[in-house]
Amino acid sequence: MELDAAVPALPVRSVAAAQAFYVEALGFTANWHHEEGRIGAVSHGRCALFLREVDGPFTPGVAWIFAEDVDAAHAAMAAAKPTAPQNMPYGLRQFTVTDPDGNQLHIHHDL
């Protein structure tokens, strides 16, 4: 048996609004939106994220996304105002993007 990458389901207030942010600010592609099921998906290369519409208070999610070139990814996502790329003491170079619903994307690669 072989498994592939996991796909996190991030909580959002509006799938349509979240997809617009991921497309416009981060360069993702909106793949599908099942309005009745209140879920949709975006992708960028081999990275896929589900966006799950929720009501009431919620705890934002976190996703760790590997990038071959963290600095190029940072430049491409500048419209989203990410944190500056840093070399971390645990062996990663990373930056963080926070979407309008508070979900954090840690874009990283190994040092």
Side-chain angles (χ1 to χ4, degrees), residues 8-34:
L10 301 175
V12 298
R13 295 272 177 231
S14 163
V15 170
Q19 283 180 320
F21 171 80
Y22 280 82
V23 168
E24 294 165 13
L26 303 180
F28 278 67
T29 298
N31 299 102
W32 53 269
H33 180 189
H34 184 265

Side-chain angles (χ1 to χ4, degrees), residues 20-27 72-83 95-100:
F21 171 80
Y22 280 82
V23 168
E24 294 165 13
L26 303 180
H74 184 267
M77 296 180 178
K81 298 184 171 89
T83 62
F95 68 89
T96 301
V97 173
T98 303
D99 75 13

Side-chain angles (χ1 to χ4, degrees), residues 17-86:
Q19 283 180 320
F21 171 80
Y22 280 82
V23 168
E24 294 165 13
L26 303 180
F28 278 67
T29 298
N31 299 102
W32 53 269
H33 180 189
H34 184 265
E35 290 183 38
E36 185 178 313
R38 302 178 67 190
I39 191 165
V42 294
S43 65
H44 194 301
R46 292 174 36 125
C47 172
L49 301 172
F50 287 173
L51 304 169
R52 172 179 55 83
E53 201 166 294
V54 297
D55 296 320
F58 65 87
T59 301
V62 175
W64 289 82
I65 302 171
F66 179 82
E68 286 290 334
D69 187 337
V70 166
D71 296 294
H74 184 267
M77 296 180 178
K81 298 184 171 89
T83 62
Q86 295 182 9

